[in-house]
Coordinates of all heavy atoms in Angstrom, one line a residue:
R1 N -39.3 0.7 4.3 CA -38.5 -0.1 3.3 C -37.1 -0.1 3.9 O -36.5 0.9 4.3 CB -38.6 0.6 2.0 CG -37.7 0.0 1.0 CD -38.0 0.6 -0.4 NE -37.1 0.0 -1.3 CZ -36.6 0.5 -2.4 NH1 -36.8 1.8 -2.6 NH2 -35.8 -0.2 -3.2
I2 N -36.4 -1.2 3.7 CA -35.0 -1.4 4.1 C -34.2 -1.3 2.9 O -34.5 -1.9 1.8 CB -34.8 -2.7 4.8 CG1 -35.6 -2.7 6.2 CG2 -33.3 -3.0 5.1 CD1 -35.5 -4.0 6.9
A3 N -33.1 -0.6 3.0 CA -32.2 -0.4 1.8 C -30.8 -0.9 2.2 O -30.4 -0.8 3.4 CB -32.1 1.0 1.3
V4 N -30.0 -1.3 1.3 CA -28.6 -1.6 1.5 C -27.8 -0.6 0.6 O -27.9 -0.6 -0.6 CB -28.2 -3.1 1.0 CG1 -26.7 -3.3 1.2 CG2 -29.0 -4.1 1.8
V5 N -27.1 0.2 1.3 CA -26.3 1.3 0.7 C -24.9 0.8 0.6 O -24.3 0.3 1.5 CB -26.4 2.6 1.5 CG1 -25.6 3.7 0.9 CG2 -27.8 3.0 1.7
Q6 N -24.3 0.9 -0.7 CA -23.0 0.3 -0.9 C -22.0 1.5 -1.3 O -22.4 2.4 -1.9 CB -23.1 -0.6 -2.1 CG -24.1 -1.8 -1.9 CD -24.3 -2.6 -3.1 OE1 -23.8 -2.4 -4.1 NE2 -25.2 -3.6 -2.9
L7 N -20.8 1.3 -0.8 CA -19.7 2.2 -1.0 C -18.7 1.6 -1.9 O -18.2 0.5 -1.6 CB -19.1 2.7 0.3 CG -18.0 3.7 0.1 CD1 -18.0 4.7 1.3 CD2 -16.6 3.1 0.0
Y8 N -18.4 2.2 -3.1 CA -17.4 1.7 -4.0 C -16.3 2.7 -4.2 O -16.5 3.9 -4.0 CB -18.1 1.6 -5.4 CG -19.1 0.5 -5.5 CD1 -20.4 0.8 -5.2 CD2 -18.8 -0.8 -5.9 CE1 -21.4 -0.2 -5.2 CE2 -19.8 -1.8 -5.9 CZ -21.1 -1.5 -5.6 OH -22.0 -2.4 -5.7
V9 N -15.1 2.2 -4.5 CA -14.0 3.1 -4.8 C -13.7 2.9 -6.3 O -13.7 1.8 -6.8 CB -12.7 2.7 -4.0 CG1 -11.5 3.5 -4.4 CG2 -13.0 2.9 -2.5
H10 N -13.7 4.1 -7.0 CA -13.3 4.1 -8.4 C -11.9 4.5 -8.5 O -11.5 5.6 -8.2 CB -14.3 5.0 -9.1 CG -14.0 5.1 -10.6 ND1 -13.2 6.1 -11.1 CD2 -14.4 4.4 -11.6 CE1 -13.1 5.9 -12.4 NE2 -13.8 4.9 -12.8
F11 N -11.0 3.6 -8.9 CA -9.6 3.8 -9.1 C -9.4 4.4 -10.5 O -10.1 4.0 -11.4 CB -8.8 2.6 -8.9 CG -8.7 2.1 -7.5 CD1 -9.6 1.1 -7.0 CD2 -7.9 2.7 -6.5 CE1 -9.6 0.7 -5.7 CE2 -7.8 2.2 -5.2 CZ -8.7 1.2 -4.8
P12 N -8.3 5.1 -10.7 CA -8.0 5.6 -12.1 C -7.7 4.4 -13.0 O -7.2 3.4 -12.5 CB -6.7 6.5 -11.9 CG -6.5 6.6 -10.4 CD -7.4 5.6 -9.7
P13 N -7.9 4.5 -14.3 CA -7.7 3.4 -15.2 C -6.3 2.8 -15.2 O -6.1 1.6 -15.3 CB -8.1 4.0 -16.6 CG -8.9 5.1 -16.3 CD -8.5 5.7 -15.0
Q14 N -5.3 3.7 -15.0 CA -3.9 3.2 -15.1 C -3.5 2.3 -13.9 O -2.5 1.6 -14.0 CB -2.9 4.4 -15.2 CG -2.9 5.3 -14.0 CD -3.9 6.5 -14.0 OE1 -4.9 6.4 -14.8 NE2 -3.6 7.5 -13.3
V15 N -4.4 2.2 -12.9 CA -4.1 1.4 -11.7 C -4.3 -0.1 -12.1 O -3.8 -1.0 -11.5 CB -4.9 1.8 -10.5 CG1 -4.7 0.9 -9.3 CG2 -4.5 3.3 -10.1
G16 N -5.2 -0.3 -13.0 CA -5.5 -1.7 -13.5 C -6.6 -2.4 -12.6 O -6.7 -3.7 -12.7
E17 N -7.4 -1.7 -11.9 CA -8.4 -2.3 -11.1 C -9.7 -2.3 -11.8 O -9.9 -1.5 -12.8 CB -8.6 -1.5 -9.7 CG -7.5 -1.7 -8.8 CD -7.4 -3.1 -8.2 OE1 -8.5 -3.7 -7.8 OE2 -6.3 -3.7 -8.2
P18 N -10.7 -3.1 -11.4 CA -12.1 -3.0 -12.0 C -12.6 -1.6 -11.9 O -12.1 -0.8 -11.0 CB -12.9 -4.0 -11.2 CG -11.9 -4.9 -10.7 CD -10.7 -4.2 -10.4
E19 N -13.6 -1.2 -12.7 CA -14.1 0.2 -12.7 C -14.5 0.6 -11.3 O -14.2 1.7 -10.8 CB -15.2 0.3 -13.7 CG -15.8 1.7 -13.7 CD -16.8 1.9 -14.8 OE1 -17.0 1.0 -15.7 OE2 -17.5 2.9 -14.8
L20 N -15.3 -0.3 -10.6 CA -15.8 0.0 -9.2 C -15.4 -1.2 -8.3 O -15.7 -2.3 -8.7 CB -17.3 0.2 -9.2 CG -17.8 1.5 -9.9 CD1 -19.3 1.5 -10.0 CD2 -17.3 2.7 -9.3
V21 N -14.9 -0.9 -7.2 CA -14.5 -1.9 -6.2 C -15.3 -1.7 -5.0 O -15.2 -0.7 -4.3 CB -13.0 -1.9 -5.9 CG1 -12.6 -3.0 -4.9 CG2 -12.2 -2.0 -7.2
L22 N -16.2 -2.7 -4.6 CA -17.0 -2.6 -3.4 C -16.1 -2.6 -2.2 O -15.3 -3.5 -2.0 CB -18.0 -3.7 -3.3 CG -18.9 -3.8 -2.1 CD1 -19.8 -2.6 -2.1 CD2 -19.7 -5.1 -2.1
R23 N -16.2 -1.6 -1.3 CA -15.3 -1.5 -0.1 C -16.2 -1.6 1.2 O -15.6 -1.9 2.2 CB -14.5 -0.3 -0.1 CG -13.4 -0.3 -1.1 CD -12.4 -1.4 -0.9 NE -11.2 -1.2 -1.6 CZ -10.5 -2.2 -2.1 NH1 -10.8 -3.4 -2.0 NH2 -9.3 -1.9 -2.8
D24 N -17.5 -1.3 1.2 CA -18.3 -1.3 2.4 C -19.7 -1.3 2.0 O -20.1 -0.9 0.9 CB -17.9 -0.1 3.3 CG -18.3 -0.4 4.8 OD1 -18.8 -1.5 5.1 OD2 -18.0 0.5 5.6
F25 N -20.6 -1.6 2.9 CA -22.0 -1.5 2.8 C -22.7 -1.4 4.1 O -22.2 -1.9 5.1 CB -22.6 -2.6 1.9 CG -22.4 -4.0 2.5 CD1 -23.4 -4.6 3.3 CD2 -21.3 -4.7 2.2 CE1 -23.2 -5.8 3.8 CE2 -21.1 -6.0 2.8 CZ -22.1 -6.6 3.6
E26 N -23.8 -0.8 4.2 CA -24.6 -0.7 5.4 C -26.1 -0.9 5.0 O -26.6 -0.5 4.0 CB -24.5 0.7 6.0 CG -23.1 1.0 6.6 CD -22.9 0.3 7.9 OE1 -23.8 0.0 8.6 OE2 -21.7 0.1 8.2
K27 N -26.8 -1.5 5.9 CA -28.2 -1.8 5.8 C -28.9 -0.7 6.7 O -28.5 -0.5 7.8 CB -28.5 -3.2 6.3 CG -29.9 -3.7 6.0 CD -30.0 -5.1 6.6 CE -31.0 -5.9 5.9 NZ -31.1 -7.3 6.5
T28 N -30.0 -0.1 6.1 CA -30.7 0.9 6.9 C -31.8 0.2 7.7 O -32.1 -1.0 7.5 CB -31.5 1.9 6.0 OG1 -32.5 1.2 5.2 CG2 -30.5 2.6 5.0
R29 N -32.3 0.9 8.7 CA -33.4 0.3 9.4 C -34.6 0.5 8.5 O -34.5 1.2 7.5 CB -33.6 1.1 10.8 CG -33.8 2.5 10.6 CD -34.0 3.2 12.0 NE -34.0 4.6 11.9 CZ -35.0 5.4 11.4 NH1 -36.1 4.8 11.1 NH2 -35.0 6.7 11.4
R30 N -35.8 0.0 8.9 CA -37.0 0.2 8.1 C -37.4 1.7 8.1 O -37.5 2.3 9.1 CB -38.1 -0.7 8.7 CG -39.4 -0.6 7.8 CD -40.4 -1.7 8.2 NE -39.9 -3.0 8.2 CZ -39.8 -3.8 7.1 NH1 -40.2 -3.3 6.0 NH2 -39.4 -5.0 7.2
L31 N -37.5 2.2 6.9 CA -37.9 3.6 6.7 C -39.2 3.8 6.0 O -39.6 3.0 5.2 CB -36.8 4.3 5.8 CG -35.4 4.3 6.3 CD1 -34.4 4.9 5.3 CD2 -35.3 5.1 7.6
E32 N -39.9 4.8 6.4 CA -41.2 5.1 5.8 C -40.8 5.8 4.4 O -39.7 6.3 4.3 CB -42.0 6.1 6.6 CG -42.4 5.5 7.9 CD -43.3 4.2 7.7 OE1 -44.1 4.2 6.8 OE2 -43.2 3.3 8.5
P33 N -41.7 5.8 3.4 CA -41.4 6.4 2.1 C -40.8 7.8 2.1 O -39.9 8.1 1.3 CB -42.8 6.4 1.4 CG -43.5 5.3 2.1 CD -43.1 5.3 3.5
S34 N -41.2 8.7 3.0 CA -40.7 10.0 3.0 C -39.6 10.3 4.0 O -39.0 11.4 4.2 CB -41.8 11.0 3.2 OG -42.4 10.8 4.5
E35 N -39.2 9.2 4.7 CA -38.2 9.3 5.8 C -36.8 9.2 5.3 O -36.5 8.5 4.3 CB -38.5 8.2 6.8 CG -37.7 8.4 8.1 CD -38.0 7.3 9.1 OE1 -38.8 6.3 8.8 OE2 -37.5 7.4 10.2
A36 N -35.9 9.9 6.0 CA -34.4 9.8 5.6 C -33.6 9.4 6.8 O -34.1 9.4 8.0 CB -33.9 11.1 5.1
T37 N -32.4 8.9 6.6 CA -31.5 8.5 7.7 C -30.1 8.8 7.3 O -29.8 9.1 6.1 CB -31.7 7.0 8.1 OG1 -31.0 6.8 9.3 CG2 -31.2 6.1 7.0
N38 N -29.2 8.9 8.3 CA -27.8 9.1 8.0 C -27.0 7.8 8.2 O -27.3 7.0 9.1 CB -27.2 10.1 8.9 CG -27.7 11.5 8.6 OD1 -27.9 11.9 7.5 ND2 -28.1 12.2 9.7
L39 N -26.1 7.5 7.4 CA -25.2 6.4 7.5 C -23.7 6.9 7.5 O -23.4 7.9 6.9 CB -25.3 5.4 6.3 CG -26.7 4.8 6.2 CD1 -26.7 4.0 4.9 CD2 -27.0 3.9 7.4
E40 N -22.9 6.2 8.2 CA -21.5 6.6 8.3 C -20.6 5.5 7.9 O -20.8 4.3 8.3 CB -21.1 7.0 9.8 CG -19.8 7.5 9.9 CD -19.5 7.9 11.4 OE1 -20.3 8.6 11.9 OE2 -18.4 7.6 11.9
F41 N -19.7 5.8 7.0 CA -18.7 4.8 6.5 C -17.3 5.3 6.9 O -17.0 6.4 6.9 CB -18.8 4.7 4.9 CG -20.1 4.2 4.4 CD1 -21.1 5.0 4.0 CD2 -20.2 2.8 4.2 CE1 -22.3 4.5 3.5 CE2 -21.4 2.3 3.7 CZ -22.4 3.1 3.3
T42 N -16.5 4.3 7.2 CA -15.1 4.6 7.5 C -14.2 3.8 6.6 O -14.4 2.6 6.5 CB -14.8 4.2 9.0 OG1 -15.7 4.9 9.9 CG2 -13.4 4.5 9.4
L43 N -13.3 4.5 5.9 CA -12.4 3.8 5.0 C -11.0 3.8 5.6 O -10.6 4.7 6.3 CB -12.3 4.6 3.7 CG -13.6 4.6 2.8 CD1 -13.4 5.5 1.6 CD2 -13.9 3.2 2.3
S44 N -10.4 2.6 5.4 CA -9.0 2.5 5.9 C -8.0 2.8 4.7 O -8.4 2.8 3.6 CB -8.8 1.1 6.4 OG -8.8 0.1 5.3
I45 N -6.7 2.8 5.0 CA -5.7 3.0 4.0 C -5.8 1.8 3.0 O -5.7 2.0 1.8 CB -4.3 3.1 4.7 CG1 -4.2 4.3 5.5 CG2 -3.2 3.0 3.6 CD1 -4.3 5.6 4.7
R46 N -6.0 0.6 3.6 CA -6.1 -0.6 2.7 C -7.3 -0.4 1.7 O -7.2 -0.9 0.6 CB -6.2 -1.8 3.5 CG -6.1 -3.1 2.7 CD -5.9 -4.2 3.6 NE -6.1 -5.5 2.9 CZ -6.0 -6.7 3.4 NH1 -5.7 -6.8 4.6 NH2 -6.2 -7.7 2.6
D47 N -8.4 0.2 2.1 CA -9.5 0.4 1.2 C -9.2 1.2 0.0 O -9.8 1.2 -1.1 CB -10.7 1.0 1.9 CG -11.4 0.1 2.9 OD1 -11.4 -1.1 2.7 OD2 -11.8 0.6 4.0
L48 N -8.1 2.1 0.2 CA -7.7 3.0 -0.9 C -6.4 2.5 -1.6 O -5.7 3.2 -2.3 CB -7.5 4.4 -0.4 CG -8.7 5.0 0.3 CD1 -8.3 6.3 1.0 CD2 -9.9 5.2 -0.6
S49 N -6.2 1.2 -1.4 CA -4.9 0.5 -1.9 C -5.3 -0.6 -2.8 O -6.4 -1.1 -2.9 CB -4.1 -0.1 -0.7 OG -3.8 0.9 0.2
T50 N -4.3 -1.0 -3.6 CA -4.5 -2.1 -4.6 C -3.4 -3.1 -4.3 O -2.3 -2.8 -3.8 CB -4.4 -1.6 -6.0 OG1 -3.1 -1.0 -6.3 CG2 -5.5 -0.6 -6.4
W51 N -3.6 -4.3 -4.7 CA -2.6 -5.4 -4.5 C -1.6 -5.4 -5.6 O -1.9 -5.4 -6.8 CB -3.3 -6.7 -4.4 CG -2.3 -7.9 -4.2 CD1 -1.9 -8.7 -5.1 CD2 -1.7 -8.2 -3.0 NE1 -1.0 -9.6 -4.5 CE2 -0.8 -9.3 -3.2 CE3 -1.7 -7.6 -1.7 CZ2 0.0 -9.9 -2.2 CZ3 -0.9 -8.2 -0.7 CH2 -0.1 -9.3 -1.0
S52 N -0.3 -5.4 -5.2 CA 0.8 -5.4 -6.2 C 1.3 -6.8 -6.1 O 1.9 -7.2 -5.1 CB 1.8 -4.4 -5.9 OG 2.9 -4.6 -6.7
G53 N 1.2 -7.6 -7.2 CA 1.7 -9.0 -7.2 C 3.1 -9.2 -7.6 O 3.5 -10.3 -8.0
G54 N 3.9 -8.1 -7.6 CA 5.3 -8.2 -8.1 C 6.2 -9.0 -7.2 O 5.7 -9.7 -6.3
V55 N 7.5 -8.9 -7.3 CA 8.5 -9.6 -6.5 C 8.3 -9.3 -5.0 O 8.3 -10.2 -4.2 CB 9.9 -9.2 -7.0 CG1 10.9 -9.9 -6.1 CG2 10.1 -9.6 -8.4
Q56 N 8.1 -8.1 -4.7 CA 7.8 -7.7 -3.3 C 6.3 -7.3 -3.2 O 6.0 -6.2 -2.7 CB 8.7 -6.5 -2.9 CG 10.2 -6.9 -2.9 CD 11.0 -5.7 -2.5 OE1 10.6 -4.6 -2.2 NE2 12.3 -6.0 -2.3
G57 N 5.5 -8.2 -3.6 CA 4.0 -7.9 -3.6 C 3.5 -7.5 -2.3 O 4.0 -7.8 -1.2
G58 N 2.4 -6.7 -2.3 CA 1.8 -6.2 -1.1 C 0.8 -5.1 -1.5 O 0.6 -4.8 -2.6
W59 N 0.2 -4.6 -0.5 CA -0.8 -3.5 -0.7 C -0.1 -2.2 -1.0 O 0.8 -1.8 -0.3 CB -1.7 -3.4 0.5 CG -2.6 -4.5 0.7 CD1 -2.5 -5.6 1.5 CD2 -3.8 -4.8 -0.1 NE1 -3.5 -6.5 1.4 CE2 -4.4 -6.0 0.4 CE3 -4.5 -4.1 -1.1 CZ2 -5.5 -6.5 -0.1 CZ3 -5.7 -4.6 -1.6 CH2 -6.2 -5.8 -1.1
Q60 N -0.5 -1.5 -2.0 CA 0.1 -0.2 -2.4 C -1.0 0.8 -2.4 O -2.0 0.7 -3.1 CB 0.6 -0.3 -3.9 CG 1.7 -1.4 -4.1 CD 3.0 -0.9 -3.6 OE1 3.4 0.2 -3.7 NE2 3.8 -1.8 -3.1
L61 N -0.8 1.9 -1.6 CA -1.7 3.0 -1.6 C -1.8 3.7 -2.9 O -0.7 4.0 -3.5 CB -1.3 4.0 -0.5 CG -2.2 5.2 -0.4 CD1 -3.6 4.9 0.1 CD2 -1.6 6.2 0.7
C62 N -3.0 3.9 -3.4 CA -3.1 4.6 -4.7 C -2.7 6.0 -4.5 O -3.3 6.7 -3.7 CB -4.5 4.4 -5.2 SG -4.8 5.2 -6.8
E63 N -1.7 6.5 -5.3 CA -1.3 7.9 -5.1 C -2.0 8.8 -6.0 O -1.9 10.0 -5.9 CB 0.2 7.9 -5.3 CG 1.0 7.2 -4.2 CD 2.5 7.3 -4.3 OE1 2.9 8.2 -5.0 OE2 3.1 6.6 -3.6
D64 N -2.8 8.3 -7.0 CA -3.7 9.1 -7.8 C -5.0 9.4 -7.1 O -5.3 8.7 -6.1 CB -3.9 8.4 -9.2 CG -2.7 8.3 -10.0 OD1 -1.8 9.2 -10.0 OD2 -2.5 7.2 -10.6
N65 N -5.8 10.3 -7.6 CA -7.1 10.6 -7.1 C -8.0 9.4 -7.3 O -8.0 8.8 -8.4 CB -7.7 11.8 -7.7 CG -7.0 13.1 -7.3 OD1 -6.4 13.2 -6.2 ND2 -7.1 14.1 -8.1
V66 N -8.8 9.1 -6.3 CA -9.9 8.1 -6.4 C -11.2 8.8 -6.2 O -11.3 9.9 -5.7 CB -9.7 6.9 -5.4 CG1 -8.4 6.2 -5.6 CG2 -9.8 7.4 -4.0
T67 N -12.2 8.1 -6.7 CA -13.6 8.7 -6.5 C -14.4 7.7 -5.7 O -14.3 6.5 -5.9 CB -14.3 8.8 -7.9 OG1 -13.5 9.7 -8.7 CG2 -15.7 9.4 -7.7
I68 N -15.1 8.2 -4.7 CA -16.0 7.4 -3.8 C -17.3 7.5 -4.4 O -17.9 8.6 -4.7 CB -16.0 8.0 -2.4 CG1 -14.5 8.0 -1.8 CG2 -16.9 7.1 -1.5 CD1 -13.8 6.7 -1.8
V69 N -18.0 6.3 -4.6 CA -19.3 6.2 -5.2 C -20.2 5.5 -4.3 O -19.9 4.4 -3.8 CB -19.2 5.5 -6.6 CG1 -20.6 5.4 -7.2 CG2 -18.2 6.1 -7.5
I70 N -21.4 6.1 -4.0 CA -22.3 5.6 -3.1 C -23.6 5.3 -3.9 O -24.1 6.1 -4.7 CB -22.7 6.6 -1.9 CG1 -21.4 7.0 -1.2 CG2 -23.7 6.0 -1.0 CD1 -20.9 6.0 -0.2
G71 N -24.2 4.1 -3.6 CA -25.5 3.8 -4.3 C -26.1 2.5 -3.8 O -25.5 1.9 -2.9
S72 N -27.1 2.1 -4.4 CA -27.8 0.8 -4.1 C -27.2 -0.4 -4.8 O -27.4 -1.5 -4.4 CB -29.3 0.9 -4.4 OG -29.5 1.2 -5.8
S73 N -26.4 -0.1 -5.8 CA -25.6 -1.1 -6.5 C -24.6 -0.4 -7.4 O -24.5 0.8 -7.4 CB -26.6 -1.9 -7.4 OG -27.0 -1.1 -8.5
S74 N -23.7 -1.2 -8.0 CA -22.7 -0.6 -8.8 C -23.3 0.1 -10.0 O -22.7 1.1 -10.6 CB -21.7 -1.6 -9.3 OG -22.4 -2.6 -10.1
R75 N -24.5 -0.3 -10.4 CA -25.2 0.4 -11.6 C -26.1 1.5 -11.1 O -26.6 2.3 -11.9 CB -26.0 -0.7 -12.4 CG -25.1 -1.6 -13.1 CD -25.8 -2.6 -13.9 NE -24.9 -3.5 -14.6 CZ -25.3 -4.6 -15.1 NH1 -26.5 -5.0 -15.1 NH2 -24.4 -5.4 -15.7
G76 N -26.5 1.5 -9.8 CA -27.4 2.4 -9.3 C -26.7 3.5 -8.4 O -27.3 3.9 -7.4
S77 N -25.6 4.0 -8.9 CA -24.8 4.9 -8.0 C -25.6 6.3 -8.0 O -26.2 6.7 -9.0 CB -23.4 5.1 -8.5 OG -23.4 5.6 -9.9
R78 N -25.5 6.9 -6.8 CA -26.2 8.2 -6.7 C -25.3 9.3 -6.3 O -25.5 10.4 -6.7 CB -27.3 8.0 -5.5 CG -28.2 6.9 -5.7 CD -29.4 7.3 -6.4 NE -30.3 6.1 -6.4 CZ -31.4 6.1 -7.1 NH1 -31.7 7.1 -7.8 NH2 -32.1 5.1 -7.1
L79 N -24.3 9.1 -5.5 CA -23.4 10.1 -5.0 C -22.0 9.8 -5.4 O -21.5 8.7 -5.4 CB -23.5 10.2 -3.5 CG -24.9 10.6 -2.9 CD1 -24.8 10.5 -1.4 CD2 -25.3 11.9 -3.3
H80 N -21.2 10.9 -5.8 CA -19.8 10.7 -6.1 C -19.1 11.8 -5.3 O -19.5 12.9 -5.2 CB -19.6 11.0 -7.6 CG -20.3 10.0 -8.5 ND1 -19.6 9.0 -9.2 CD2 -21.6 9.9 -8.8 CE1 -20.5 8.3 -9.9 NE2 -21.7 8.8 -9.7
A81 N -17.9 11.4 -4.8 CA -17.1 12.4 -4.0 C -15.7 12.2 -4.3 O -15.2 11.1 -4.6 CB -17.3 12.2 -2.5

């Protein structure tokens, strides 16, 4: 079975972003039912930033804690870090 694993960033509510923001995804190779594999995701500073549309708009790094959520969809999250 092939799976698509998705990485979401959960920003704090005061930042004003949607609850989960998709930042990356990886497709696995075909796996047998009992087989496992490792995937590696790399996040950039921009992945942990939000767009500020003010007078001097631009990307602003979120200075509060964010949560990384991994799963098969935004509703099927499995891991939180």
Side-chain angles (χ1 to χ4, degrees):
R1 178 174 180 211
I2 295 174
V4 177
V5 180
Q6 301 172 2
L7 181 145
Y8 294 87
V9 176
H10 179 265
F11 291 98
Q14 65 269 22
V15 174
E17 289 292 313
E19 183 175 346
L20 293 173
V21 180
L22 179 65
R23 290 299 197 212
D24 201 1
F25 61 92
E26 291 287 334
K27 192 180 205 182
T28 67
R29 62 180 171 75
R30 185 169 300 277
L31 300 172
E32 296 300 323
S34 62
E35 190 179 7
T37 190
N38 292 318
L39 298 174
E40 184 175 315
F41 293 96
T42 302
L43 293 173
S44 69
I45 294 295
R46 188 168 168 178
D47 290 325
L48 303 174
S49 301
T50 58
W51 180 257
S52 172
V55 175
Q56 296 181 355
W59 291 100
Q60 302 279 326
L61 178 63
C62 182
E63 295 187 13
D64 294 319
N65 289 335
V66 298
T67 303
I68 304 301
V69 180
I70 305 284
S72 58
S73 71
S74 61
R75 293 183 182 166
S77 59
R78 307 270 183 188
L79 301 172
H80 299 254

